[in-house]
Amino acid sequence: MVYGVMVSRALEAAQALAAEGIDAEVVDLRTLSPWGKESVLSSVRKTGRAVVAHEAVRQGGFGAE
């Protein structure tokens, strides 16, 4: 089970990238309070990148601010 529709879409995107030889890591934040800060930071240290994808409102959503 995944949290939110964007996790499923991110996993699909990661598979599409893998088909092109590009590795992508998807971190599924199962809770937002407290959020998995160490999981995110670990992934960023490993990859040097972060993308926040969410289906919430533009203002006030977890990834909006």
Side-chain angles (χ1 to χ4, degrees):
M1 182 172 183
V2 296
Y3 174 81
V5 70
M6 294 309 291
V7 174
S8 297
R9 291 184 181 165
L11 291 170
E12 290 171 8
Q15 286 180 339
L17 290 169
E20 297 181 25
I22 301 168
D23 289 330
E25 185 169 286
V26 176
V27 177
D28 180 6
L29 295 177
R30 298 194 180 265
T31 63
L32 298 179
S33 182
W35 66 287
K37 182 177 179 180
E38 197 49 49
S39 295
V40 173
L41 292 176
S42 173
S43 179
V44 170
R45 280 192 285 278
K46 194 175 356 174
T47 63
R49 298 189 178 6
V51 174
V52 177
H54 66 104
E55 67 274 9
V57 295
R58 289 185 183 182
Q59 293 179 331
F62 184 76
E65 308 301 327

